[in-house]
Amino acid sequence: MKLPLWSRLRLAPRIALVVFCSLMAMTFVDEVAPLVIRPSEIVVFQRDWLIGTLRDIRDRSIEAPAAERAAVLQELPARRWLDVTVLETNPGFHKPTPSGGFTDLREQIAATLGLESQDVVLMAREMHDPDQSVRSLVVILPELPVTLLNKVADDQQRNMMSSDLRIGFRIGPQQWLVVTPKSDGMETARMIRNVLLPLAAILFIILFSVWVARGVARPLDDLAAAAEKLGRDRELSLVGNFNAPELRAIGETFNAMQRRLKQFVDDRLHMIAAISHDLRTPLTRLRLFAEYVPDPDQRRQVLSDIKDMEAMVSATLTYASNQLKDEAHSAVDLGSLLISLCDTAADAGCRVTYEGPDHAGLVCRPVAIRRAFANLIDNGCKFGSEVKVTLRDTPDSIVITIADDGPGVPAAQREEAFRPFTRLEVSRNRETGGTGLGLTIARDVILAQGGVIELGDAPAGGLLVTVTLRRQQLS
């Protein structure tokens, strides 16, 4: 969803708006909660009246026959304010009774009723937020009249406030009376309100924050994907019109940088391609002249040099033209392809072995993938006496390893080995020939397929090339 005014806001105002909306959501909950479900009632008791009423309840319940006790308790005048329940066991309130006035109240109740301290139990939950209370709020004052707003708050040692007051006292060997403020029947509704409204506010804050965060993170993801594609395919991957001024400026600058880089690379690749193309004509003439060299050894050497130069020109043109990446995808039997390449290398005099299934289907660029693995196998044949090609087919990917017994590549120089026109002096020298583009072209093809190519140490001490092609990226 795109909002016209929203797209003009910079990132700092957006963050400030998230904070403001969060505060407003919590304020809204505080204001709306009492309107959705009315707040709990506040009941004010004078302490002497409460204690006298408890004594009256105790006396009437003891005097009444057991069969009539419930009816007698229902007819009590105090039933307008208090609920009375008869229990056959100690109530066992699990909440501790606060200190201060409630402790004194418990002792006064026990003394007035003529009971031991252990025969009177009292539970009082301290009041924090009256609007969030589920049960009726009880205020017990030592005397009346009093100014509630000031007196109750200032003298909390004498004035008792509770959001859940329960008083229990013994009336027989196994019987107890529990007296509580009369319920209005809204406790469950208030509990649901107290849970759902804050959850709704939190959900709103989360969704709004995620929406704002995604508006910032999505352009960054697009930039990362475009940069990765530019490095892999050497093709422009322009990013869109982002919805924040700062991000739009970054996107426009990134697009301009892509165009400049693309132009810079294309100019130099076109120059290399033009030079390589122009070299083909004199090489053809040199090949004709070489046929007339009288000395057979010199003629063979000249023709070999010309052949190497033609291979360099061909490899350079392939790399510069980027034509392998323009090929359409199609189904390829990678197992049969590798077996064919190994047979070709063996016919040329290299000891090459293949290990793996005869068939392994893959959707890829056929010519490009053949060129990549031909380069890797040829590379192993140049610098080793034996090459082992292994294919492992899994449901998620196909892993191919090519190991030779040559000198290998030092770990510190493996990344450099992939650079164009690079031939390492220690492990790859000019005596073996080559253009320094074999690994470069192979990696370009593998990365364009969405795969990974890595160099390591072979068991025989040479170079181990591991290629992983993931099926989900090739579908």
Side-chain angles (χ1 to χ4, degrees):
M1 180 176 63
K2 294 185 178 180
L3 303 178
L5 295 179
W6 181 259
S7 62
R8 301 178 186 176
L9 287 180
R10 301 178 72 86
L11 295 180
R14 294 186 185 192
I15 296 174
L17 188 59
V18 170
V19 175
F20 173 77
C21 290
S22 301
L23 295 176
M24 290 300 296
M26 300 310 299
T27 303
F28 176 79
V29 168
D30 291 338
E31 296 297 329
V32 169
L35 301 178
V36 176
I37 302 294
R38 64 183 176 84
S40 56
E41 298 173 338
I42 300 178
V43 183
V44 181
F45 293 127
Q46 201 271 337
R47 183 174 58 192
D48 292 340
W49 177 91
L50 177 61
I51 295 175
T53 300
L54 294 177
R55 180 176 57 194
D56 183 53
I57 293 173
R58 192 277 310 270
D59 293 342
R60 295 197 182 196
S61 64
I62 292 177
E63 294 171 357
E68 301 176 6
R69 181 173 295 158
V72 171
L73 294 177
Q74 288 291 334
E75 298 298 328
L76 290 173
R79 284 286 296 172
R80 180 181 176 185
W81 312 106
L82 299 172
D83 286 330
V84 183
T85 305
V86 181
L87 298 180
E88 300 297 331
T89 183
N90 189 317
F93 300 141
H94 62 281
K95 293 289 185 181
T97 300
S99 60
F102 286 105
T103 301
D104 296 337
L105 177 64
R106 178 172 174 269
E107 297 298 331
Q108 291 178 19
I109 293 173
T112 301
L113 300 182
L115 300 173
E116 299 293 334
S117 297
Q118 64 268 20
D119 293 333
V120 178
V121 292
L122 185 147
M123 185 183 80
R125 183 173 297 167
E126 294 180 342
M127 181 177 63
H128 299 287
D129 187 356
D131 291 337
Q132 299 299 319
S133 177
V134 174
R135 297 180 176 85
S136 297
L137 299 172
V138 178
V139 180
I140 302 175
L141 302 176
E143 56 191 17
L144 292 173
V146 67
T147 304
L148 290 178
L149 293 179
N150 297 325
K151 186 66 175 176
V152 174
D154 294 341
D155 193 3
Q156 295 188 16
Q157 288 297 320
R158 297 178 63 223
N159 303 313
M160 293 151 279
M161 296 175 289
S162 173
S163 63
D164 185 13
L165 178 65
R166 305 180 193 182
I167 301 173
F169 52 88
R170 186 189 298 273
I171 61 172
Q174 299 296 331
Q175 288 187 325
W176 288 69
L177 287 183
V178 176
V179 180
T180 59
K182 191 172 183 61
S183 171
D184 60 359
M186 301 290 291
E187 288 86 354
T188 302
R190 293 191 190 100
M191 187 176 297
I192 295 175
R193 175 204 66 186
N194 293 346
V195 173
L196 292 185
L197 284 180
L199 285 179
I202 292 172
L203 181 62
F204 167 77
I205 293 171
I206 291 175
L207 293 178
F208 185 59
S209 302
V210 169
W211 181 63
V212 174
R214 287 185 63 186
V216 176
R218 188 184 298 111
L220 299 180
D221 293 338
D222 293 344
L223 284 173
E228 195 274 337
K229 185 176 181 180
L230 177 65
R232 184 183 67 238
D233 297 338
R234 299 206 305 267
E235 294 295 335
L236 291 179
S237 180
L238 302 180
V239 294
N241 186 23
F242 300 140
N243 62 3
E246 298 96 332
L247 297 175
R248 280 197 297 272
I250 293 174
E252 293 169 358
T253 303
F254 182 79
N255 289 338
M257 180 199 69
Q258 286 192 80
R259 295 186 180 96
R260 289 195 298 270
L261 285 175
K262 184 68 166 54
Q263 187 64 39
F264 177 83
V265 173
D266 287 348
D267 289 345
R268 278 147 184 79
L269 289 179
H270 290 162
M271 179 185 66
I272 295 174
I275 294 173
S276 299
H277 184 271
D278 291 343
L279 285 175
R280 284 186 167 180
T281 300
L283 285 176
T284 302
R285 290 198 298 265
L286 287 175
R287 178 179 290 277
L288 292 175
F289 292 150
E291 297 294 339
Y292 295 99
V293 174
D295 190 328
D297 293 335
Q298 291 182 351
R299 182 170 61 250
R300 186 166 48 255
Q301 182 62 45
V302 172
L303 290 174
S304 177
D305 291 342
I306 294 174
K307 181 180 179 181
D308 291 342
M309 293 179 67
E310 288 177 337
M312 295 178 189
V313 170
S314 177
T316 302
L317 284 173
T318 301
Y319 175 73
S321 64
N322 206 26
Q323 60 185 0
L324 293 177
K325 295 182 181 178
D326 297 332
E327 183 186 3
H329 285 78
S330 62
V332 173
D333 187 342
L334 196 56
S336 299
L337 173 64
L338 291 176
I339 293 174
S340 174
L341 292 174
C342 291
D343 291 341
T344 301
D347 292 341
C350 180
R351 289 192 299 169
V352 182
T353 59
Y354 171 80
E355 182 179 317
D358 293 339
H359 303 284
L362 185 69
V363 177
C364 60
R365 297 181 175 94
V367 176
I369 207 73
R370 183 182 184 90
R371 179 65 178 267
F373 284 112
N375 285 355
L376 296 176
I377 295 174
D378 181 63
N379 202 59
C381 291
K382 285 181 180 179
F383 305 105
S385 59
E386 184 176 356
V387 177
K388 182 178 180 180
V389 180
T390 304
L391 185 147
R392 187 171 71 255
D393 192 1
T394 68
D396 297 330
S397 62
I398 296 179
V399 180
I400 303 97
T401 60
I402 301 171
D404 62 52
D405 59 352
V409 175
Q413 295 180 316
R414 285 170 185 166
E415 184 61 30
E416 184 181 356
F418 287 112
R419 295 175 57 186
F421 307 105
T422 298
R423 286 174 292 188
L424 304 179
E425 292 298 331
V426 175
S427 60
R428 300 313 192 237
N429 55 67
R430 296 182 182 276
E431 295 178 359
T432 58
T435 62
L437 287 174
L439 287 177
T440 304
I441 294 174
R443 184 170 72 166
D444 280 359
V445 171
I446 299 302
L447 293 181
Q449 293 289 141
V452 178
I453 180 171
E454 299 173 321
L455 302 183
D457 294 324
L463 181 65
L464 175 67
V465 182
T466 303
V467 177
T468 303
L469 299 172
R470 302 189 183 280
R471 293 185 183 278
Q472 63 266 26
Q473 295 182 356
L474 303 175
S475 59

